[in-house]
Amino acid sequence: MKIIVPMAGRGSRLRPHTLTIPKPLIPIAGKPIVHRLVEDIAKVINQPIDEVAFIIHESFGATVEKDLLAIATKIGAKGTIYYQNEALGTGHAIMCAKDSLSGPAVIAYADTLIRADFELDATADSVIWVKQVDKPEAFGVINLNEANEIIELVEKPKEFVSDLAVIGIYYFKDIAVLKNELQAVLDNNIIHGGEYQINDGIKQMMAKGMKFVPGKVDEWMDCGNKDVTVDTNNRMLGFLHQDGENLVADDVRLDNSQIIPPCFIGEGVQLIDSVIGPNVSIGKGSHIQNSKIQNSLIQTHSHIKNAKLDNAMIGNHVNYNGEFTSVSLGDYSTME
């Protein structure tokens, strides 16, 4: 089994946090989004993962590539790096990894997290993972027949088709079939929205009678912008707390301070005269003093003083001193 992870863009909707690191490497509950995504998929699939192929922009650099390869190694797989240097769509991104497109594989876009527990349908050619949503007109949805097979993909339907939204994770029994269809999309210059789309390859597979079925996830968490990323961090902390994970490092310094779970507190963090939580992630080496923080995400080596934060997202190496509340500060910012 392979996992194919397109993640070429840095993510403009999450600026300024993505100016120095790509969005998929922003930590949620202490672990990068893409790291959690790969691990969660490996758990759901419950099969040995042979390879994880990451499709990135070449500008991400050697350090990012090293971190991604380490993610693959951690689950016992070979890591491979491919480049998509032009934003030409999902179908184009997948084809940038064409040397790895053979055999059973999962494609997963690296700006979402899931919680799921189901078995793959061994009779299906493909599984498209979906989540029931309240406003299906805002999403791409699937249309099912009476046999619970997917017969159509509909993008942002004006009239009700179904309330099962496509979340951007797909399983293919043999991804080489999708590869052949996407090659035809590229060769024939089939473009929608100015880009080559994975859906055009999938639609060709459906037209040839291949069996597509839905895989329903219990939770679907987005990391598209600051507010939803903070919410995703809150929800993930809750899940991990319920699972019994220890989220507070052993060497956290706690001086006249209180931690209200669930919280992730990284190594070397100092908490002085502060109340932290619930739903707070603080990265390693950060110092918090005379502050009250809840529902917030603070990355590594930041110094926060005299703050009252709620729904805040603060990057790495930030110096923050003040009584602001809902903030979004990127790396190396200073507010005094």
Side-chain angles (χ1 to χ4, degrees):
M1 179 72 69
K2 298 177 181 179
I3 302 176
I4 313 297
V5 188
M7 49 178 290
R10 284 188 175 270
S12 60
R13 290 188 298 154
L14 202 51
R15 291 175 180 168
H17 301 278
T18 53
L19 293 176
T20 56
I21 61 171
K23 178 169 63 176
L25 291 182
I26 289 176
I28 296 295
K31 188 177 292 186
I33 295 168
V34 66
H35 196 157
R36 289 202 177 279
L37 176 65
V38 169
E39 287 187 346
D40 288 346
I41 289 173
K43 290 177 184 177
V44 172
I45 296 300
N46 197 27
Q47 297 180 26
I49 307 299
D50 303 315
E51 179 182 4
V52 184
F54 300 96
I55 303 145
I56 67 173
H57 194 282
E58 200 166 4
S59 66
F60 283 12
T63 299
V64 169
E65 293 184 20
K66 181 180 178 181
D67 291 343
L68 293 174
L69 295 176
I71 292 171
T73 300
K74 188 172 181 180
I75 65 168
K78 178 183 76 171
T80 312
I81 302 293
Y82 295 97
Y83 302 116
Q84 184 194 29
N85 291 327
E86 295 181 86
L88 297 178
T90 56
H92 178 267
I94 293 163
M95 289 301 288
C96 289
K98 60 184 178 181
D99 289 346
S100 293
L101 301 183
S102 61
V106 170
I107 294 173
Y109 296 104
D111 59 356
T112 189
L113 292 171
I114 62 166
R115 300 280 284 187
D117 183 15
F118 65 87
E119 293 185 6
L120 290 173
D121 184 342
T123 68
D125 295 296
S126 178
V127 178
I128 299 178
W129 294 2
V130 296
K131 178 71 172 69
Q132 192 171 28
V133 295
D134 294 330
K135 298 180 179 179
E137 66 274 10
F139 301 90
V141 300
I142 60 171
N143 191 7
L144 299 172
N145 61 16
E146 293 180 354
N148 200 44
E149 297 174 357
I150 302 171
I151 56 173
E152 188 179 16
L153 299 176
V154 184
E155 185 65 27
K156 297 182 179 178
K158 294 180 180 179
E159 297 182 0
F160 183 82
V161 174
S162 84
D163 59 359
L164 296 176
V166 177
I167 70 169
I169 305 178
Y170 312 80
Y171 163 78
F172 295 90
K173 184 185 291 185
D174 184 2
I175 199 171
V177 179
L178 176 68
K179 173 184 175 181
N180 293 336
E181 299 300 341
L182 288 178
Q183 186 62 58
V185 168
L186 297 178
D187 292 343
N188 293 293
N189 201 33
I190 300 172
I191 293 175
H192 288 96
E195 297 179 337
Y196 301 99
Q197 304 291 355
I198 184 176
N199 281 2
D200 288 311
I202 290 173
K203 289 175 182 178
Q204 290 301 316
M205 292 176 65
M206 289 180 178
K208 294 178 179 178
M210 295 187 177
K211 181 180 177 180
F212 283 73
V213 299
K216 295 182 181 180
V217 299
D218 301 317
E219 297 287 343
W220 173 28
M221 294 163 281
D222 188 18
C223 301
N225 58 42
K226 172 252 182 179
D227 287 340
V228 298
T229 300
V230 170
D231 181 64
T232 290
N233 183 69
N234 294 354
R235 292 167 65 187
M236 183 59 69
L237 286 170
F239 295 138
L240 297 175
H241 183 67
Q242 291 173 9
D243 293 344
E245 287 199 27
N246 179 25
L247 300 175
V248 179
D250 294 335
D251 64 349
V252 170
R253 174 182 164 187
L254 203 64
D255 292 345
N256 192 34
S257 296
Q258 179 185 8
I259 299 173
I260 304 173
C263 289
F264 169 84
I265 313 293
E267 297 175 355
V269 169
Q270 296 185 30
L271 305 177
I272 304 169
D273 299 322
S274 297
V275 178
I276 307 299
N279 303 319
V280 174
S281 287
I282 301 176
K284 66 180 181 180
S286 290
H287 293 189
I288 314 294
Q289 184 173 353
N290 192 34
S291 298
K292 183 177 181 180
I293 303 174
Q294 60 184 3
N295 303 313
S296 296
L297 199 164
I298 298 168
Q299 296 189 45
T300 65
H301 304 290
S302 287
H303 289 70
I304 313 296
K305 296 175 67 175
N306 307 315
K308 184 178 181 180
L309 299 177
D310 188 358
N311 188 39
M313 186 168 176
I314 294 176
N316 302 281
H317 302 279
V318 170
N319 290 308
Y320 177 90
N321 186 346
E323 296 182 355
F324 308 94
T325 53
S326 178
V327 301
S328 180
L329 297 177
D331 295 357
Y332 298 98
S333 299
T334 299
M335 293 185 70
E336 299 178 336

mmCIF file of all heavy atoms in Angstrom, residues 5 19 22 39 43 83 112 123 127 129-131 136 169 174 250 277 284-285 292 299 301 303 307 333:
data_model
loop_
_atom_site.group_PDB
_atom_site.id
_atom_site.type_symbol
_atom_site.label_atom_id
_atom_site.label_comp_id
_atom_site.label_asym_id
_atom_site.label_seq_id
_atom_site.Cartn_x
_atom_site.Cartn_y
_atom_site.Cartn_z
ATOM 1 N N VAL A 5 0.621 12.058 -1.121
ATOM 2 C CA VAL A 5 0.221 13.263 -0.394
ATOM 3 C C VAL A 5 0.582 14.515 -1.189
ATOM 4 O O VAL A 5 1.715 15.004 -1.117
ATOM 5 C CB VAL A 5 0.896 13.322 0.993
ATOM 6 C CG1 VAL A 5 0.324 14.479 1.812
ATOM 7 C CG2 VAL A 5 0.734 12.012 1.736
ATOM 8 N N LEU A 19 4.144 31.788 5.839
ATOM 9 C CA LEU A 19 5.195 32.516 5.127
ATOM 10 C C LEU A 19 6.557 31.854 5.324
ATOM 11 O O LEU A 19 7.431 31.953 4.470
ATOM 12 C CB LEU A 19 5.250 33.968 5.605
ATOM 13 C CG LEU A 19 4.019 34.819 5.239
ATOM 14 C CD1 LEU A 19 4.149 36.217 5.843
ATOM 15 C CD2 LEU A 19 3.836 34.906 3.726
ATOM 16 N N PRO A 22 5.425 25.545 5.283
ATOM 17 C CA PRO A 22 4.213 25.140 4.566
ATOM 18 C C PRO A 22 3.105 24.783 5.549
ATOM 19 O O PRO A 22 3.354 24.284 6.651
ATOM 20 C CB PRO A 22 4.659 23.898 3.779
ATOM 21 C CG PRO A 22 6.142 23.904 3.810
ATOM 22 C CD PRO A 22 6.545 24.615 5.060
ATOM 23 N N GLU A 39 -0.323 9.208 9.729
ATOM 24 C CA GLU A 39 -0.504 8.211 10.783
ATOM 25 C C GLU A 39 -1.959 7.755 10.884
ATOM 26 O O GLU A 39 -2.233 6.556 11.062
ATOM 27 C CB GLU A 39 -0.045 8.782 12.123
ATOM 28 C CG GLU A 39 1.457 8.897 12.250
ATOM 29 C CD GLU A 39 1.896 9.303 13.652
ATOM 30 O OE1 GLU A 39 1.044 9.751 14.454
ATOM 31 O OE2 GLU A 39 3.093 9.168 13.948
ATOM 32 N N LYS A 43 -3.555 3.945 10.239
ATOM 33 C CA LYS A 43 -4.382 3.234 11.218
ATOM 34 C C LYS A 43 -5.679 2.738 10.593
ATOM 35 O O LYS A 43 -6.112 1.608 10.828
ATOM 36 C CB LYS A 43 -4.686 4.151 12.399
ATOM 37 C CG LYS A 43 -3.499 4.452 13.288
ATOM 38 C CD LYS A 43 -3.884 5.432 14.392
ATOM 39 C CE LYS A 43 -2.680 5.820 15.244
ATOM 40 N NZ LYS A 43 -3.044 6.836 16.268
ATOM 41 N N TYR A 83 8.138 17.001 -7.059
ATOM 42 C CA TYR A 83 7.938 18.444 -7.111
ATOM 43 C C TYR A 83 6.803 18.825 -8.050
ATOM 44 O O TYR A 83 6.695 18.304 -9.170
ATOM 45 C CB TYR A 83 9.214 19.154 -7.565
ATOM 46 C CG TYR A 83 10.407 18.879 -6.675
ATOM 47 C CD1 TYR A 83 11.525 18.196 -7.169
ATOM 48 C CD2 TYR A 83 10.415 19.290 -5.345
ATOM 49 C CE1 TYR A 83 12.616 17.951 -6.352
ATOM 50 C CE2 TYR A 83 11.503 19.036 -4.520
ATOM 51 C CZ TYR A 83 12.600 18.372 -5.032
ATOM 52 O OH TYR A 83 13.675 18.108 -4.227
ATOM 53 N N THR A 112 -6.204 18.533 5.840
ATOM 54 C CA THR A 112 -7.362 18.032 6.548
ATOM 55 C C THR A 112 -6.950 16.904 7.483
ATOM 56 O O THR A 112 -5.942 16.237 7.250
ATOM 57 C CB THR A 112 -8.432 17.527 5.543
ATOM 58 O OG1 THR A 112 -9.625 17.224 6.224
ATOM 59 C CG2 THR A 112 -7.950 16.299 4.804
ATOM 60 N N THR A 123 -14.130 -5.413 -2.703
ATOM 61 C CA THR A 123 -14.695 -5.604 -4.046
ATOM 62 C C THR A 123 -14.688 -4.317 -4.861
ATOM 63 O O THR A 123 -14.972 -4.341 -6.062
ATOM 64 C CB THR A 123 -16.142 -6.105 -3.942
ATOM 65 O OG1 THR A 123 -16.985 -5.079 -3.402
ATOM 66 C CG2 THR A 123 -16.223 -7.346 -3.061
ATOM 67 N N VAL A 127 -12.477 3.782 -3.184
ATOM 68 C CA VAL A 127 -13.274 4.305 -2.077
ATOM 69 C C VAL A 127 -13.027 5.810 -2.010
ATOM 70 O O VAL A 127 -11.871 6.250 -2.008
ATOM 71 C CB VAL A 127 -12.890 3.652 -0.737
ATOM 72 C CG1 VAL A 127 -13.700 4.267 0.410
ATOM 73 C CG2 VAL A 127 -13.095 2.143 -0.790
ATOM 74 N N TRP A 129 -13.690 8.931 0.414
ATOM 75 C CA TRP A 129 -14.101 9.186 1.791
ATOM 76 C C TRP A 129 -14.930 10.453 1.857
ATOM 77 O O TRP A 129 -14.589 11.482 1.242
ATOM 78 C CB TRP A 129 -12.876 9.285 2.689
ATOM 79 C CG TRP A 129 -12.142 7.970 2.789
ATOM 80 C CD1 TRP A 129 -12.460 6.815 2.157
ATOM 81 C CD2 TRP A 129 -10.977 7.692 3.546
ATOM 82 N NE1 TRP A 129 -11.576 5.837 2.482
ATOM 83 C CE2 TRP A 129 -10.650 6.341 3.331
ATOM 84 C CE3 TRP A 129 -10.178 8.447 4.378
ATOM 85 C CZ2 TRP A 129 -9.554 5.729 3.934
ATOM 86 C CZ3 TRP A 129 -9.085 7.851 4.989
ATOM 87 C CH2 TRP A 129 -8.777 6.503 4.768
ATOM 88 N N VAL A 130 -16.028 10.366 2.610
ATOM 89 C CA VAL A 130 -16.996 11.461 2.677
ATOM 90 C C VAL A 130 -17.400 11.708 4.124
ATOM 91 O O VAL A 130 -17.187 10.879 5.002
ATOM 92 C CB VAL A 130 -18.252 11.149 1.833
ATOM 93 C CG1 VAL A 130 -17.900 11.028 0.362
ATOM 94 C CG2 VAL A 130 -18.945 9.876 2.324
ATOM 95 N N LYS A 131 -18.004 12.874 4.340
ATOM 96 C CA LYS A 131 -18.552 13.231 5.653
ATOM 97 C C LYS A 131 -19.891 13.921 5.457
ATOM 98 O O LYS A 131 -20.037 14.762 4.572
ATOM 99 C CB LYS A 131 -17.603 14.188 6.386
ATOM 100 C CG LYS A 131 -18.122 14.647 7.763
ATOM 101 C CD LYS A 131 -18.077 13.518 8.756
ATOM 102 C CE LYS A 131 -18.410 13.979 10.184
ATOM 103 N NZ LYS A 131 -19.823 14.364 10.349
ATOM 104 N N PRO A 136 -24.476 21.076 2.080
ATOM 105 C CA PRO A 136 -23.791 20.393 0.977
ATOM 106 C C PRO A 136 -23.563 21.274 -0.242
ATOM 107 O O PRO A 136 -22.672 20.981 -1.045
ATOM 108 C CB PRO A 136 -24.729 19.225 0.647
ATOM 109 C CG PRO A 136 -26.053 19.608 1.203
ATOM 110 C CD PRO A 136 -25.766 20.439 2.407
ATOM 111 N N ILE A 169 -9.821 12.534 0.378
ATOM 112 C CA ILE A 169 -9.042 11.321 0.610
ATOM 113 C C ILE A 169 -9.670 10.192 -0.205
ATOM 114 O O ILE A 169 -10.885 9.972 -0.122
ATOM 115 C CB ILE A 169 -8.989 10.941 2.098
ATOM 116 C CG1 ILE A 169 -8.451 12.111 2.923
ATOM 117 C CG2 ILE A 169 -8.114 9.715 2.315
ATOM 118 C CD1 ILE A 169 -8.397 11.840 4.406
ATOM 119 N N ASP A 174 -5.973 -0.142 -7.668
ATOM 120 C CA ASP A 174 -4.780 -0.033 -8.509
ATOM 121 C C ASP A 174 -4.730 1.389 -9.041
ATOM 122 O O ASP A 174 -5.461 1.746 -9.967
ATOM 123 C CB ASP A 174 -4.813 -1.028 -9.669
ATOM 124 C CG ASP A 174 -3.526 -0.987 -10.493
ATOM 125 O OD1 ASP A 174 -2.613 -0.207 -10.134
ATOM 126 O OD2 ASP A 174 -3.443 -1.723 -11.491
ATOM 127 N N ASP A 250 7.296 15.894 30.459
ATOM 128 C CA ASP A 250 7.723 15.667 31.841
ATOM 129 C C ASP A 250 8.508 16.836 32.420
ATOM 130 O O ASP A 250 8.516 17.042 33.636
ATOM 131 C CB ASP A 250 8.573 14.392 31.922
ATOM 132 C CG ASP A 250 7.773 13.134 31.605
ATOM 133 O OD1 ASP A 250 6.540 13.163 31.785
ATOM 134 O OD2 ASP A 250 8.394 12.139 31.182
ATOM 135 N N GLY A 277 -5.416 26.727 29.411
ATOM 136 C CA GLY A 277 -6.442 25.778 29.075
ATOM 137 C C GLY A 277 -7.832 26.269 29.417
ATOM 138 O O GLY A 277 -7.996 27.304 30.069
ATOM 139 N N LYS A 284 7.454 23.453 22.103
ATOM 140 C CA LYS A 284 8.632 23.327 22.958
ATOM 141 C C LYS A 284 9.377 24.657 23.103
ATOM 142 O O LYS A 284 9.421 25.475 22.174
ATOM 143 C CB LYS A 284 9.569 22.256 22.412
ATOM 144 C CG LYS A 284 10.203 22.585 21.064
ATOM 145 C CD LYS A 284 11.114 21.456 20.615
ATOM 146 C CE LYS A 284 11.765 21.798 19.270
ATOM 147 N NZ LYS A 284 12.663 20.716 18.805
ATOM 148 N N GLY A 285 9.949 24.846 24.285
ATOM 149 C CA GLY A 285 10.803 25.998 24.530
ATOM 150 C C GLY A 285 10.096 27.314 24.715
ATOM 151 O O GLY A 285 10.749 28.357 24.814
ATOM 152 N N LYS A 292 -3.408 34.342 30.869
ATOM 153 C CA LYS A 292 -4.517 33.401 30.852
ATOM 154 C C LYS A 292 -4.806 33.074 29.394
ATOM 155 O O LYS A 292 -5.134 33.956 28.609
ATOM 156 C CB LYS A 292 -5.756 33.985 31.531
ATOM 157 C CG LYS A 292 -6.922 33.012 31.604
ATOM 158 C CD LYS A 292 -8.106 33.595 32.354
ATOM 159 C CE LYS A 292 -9.251 32.580 32.434
ATOM 160 N NZ LYS A 292 -10.436 33.142 33.173
ATOM 161 N N GLN A 299 3.140 28.128 18.916
ATOM 162 C CA GLN A 299 4.188 27.237 18.439
ATOM 163 C C GLN A 299 5.455 27.377 19.290
ATOM 164 O O GLN A 299 5.381 27.756 20.447
ATOM 165 C CB GLN A 299 4.419 27.489 16.945
ATOM 166 C CG GLN A 299 3.171 27.132 16.122
ATOM 167 C CD GLN A 299 3.408 27.146 14.641
ATOM 168 O OE1 GLN A 299 4.402 26.625 14.142
ATOM 169 N NE2 GLN A 299 2.477 27.732 13.904
ATOM 170 N N HIS A 301 9.249 28.146 21.019
ATOM 171 C CA HIS A 301 10.211 29.186 21.395
ATOM 172 C C HIS A 301 9.618 30.592 21.369
ATOM 173 O O HIS A 301 10.287 31.556 20.990
ATOM 174 C CB HIS A 301 11.446 29.113 20.481
ATOM 175 C CG HIS A 301 12.104 27.776 20.474
ATOM 176 N ND1 HIS A 301 12.797 27.274 21.562
ATOM 177 C CD2 HIS A 301 12.148 26.790 19.527
ATOM 178 C CE1 HIS A 301 13.260 26.063 21.273
ATOM 179 N NE2 HIS A 301 12.874 25.740 20.060
ATOM 180 N N HIS A 303 7.608 33.769 23.510
ATOM 181 C CA HIS A 303 7.558 34.353 24.844
ATOM 182 C C HIS A 303 6.290 35.202 24.951
ATOM 183 O O HIS A 303 6.144 36.205 24.245
ATOM 184 C CB HIS A 303 8.807 35.198 25.116
ATOM 185 C CG HIS A 303 10.050 34.380 25.300
ATOM 186 N ND1 HIS A 303 10.647 33.700 24.249
ATOM 187 C CD2 HIS A 303 10.812 34.108 26.402
ATOM 188 C CE1 HIS A 303 11.725 33.054 24.702
ATOM 189 N NE2 HIS A 303 11.844 33.295 26.003
ATOM 190 N N ALA A 307 -0.785 38.454 29.009
ATOM 191 C CA ALA A 307 -1.728 38.235 27.908
ATOM 192 C C ALA A 307 -2.988 37.532 28.390
ATOM 193 O O ALA A 307 -2.956 36.719 29.324
ATOM 194 C CB ALA A 307 -1.065 37.415 26.808
ATOM 195 N N SER A 333 7.424 37.455 15.036
ATOM 196 C CA SER A 333 6.740 38.724 15.290
ATOM 197 C C SER A 333 7.067 39.217 16.693
ATOM 198 O O SER A 333 7.409 38.452 17.588
ATOM 199 C CB SER A 333 5.224 38.541 15.163
ATOM 200 O OG SER A 333 4.877 38.123 13.855
#
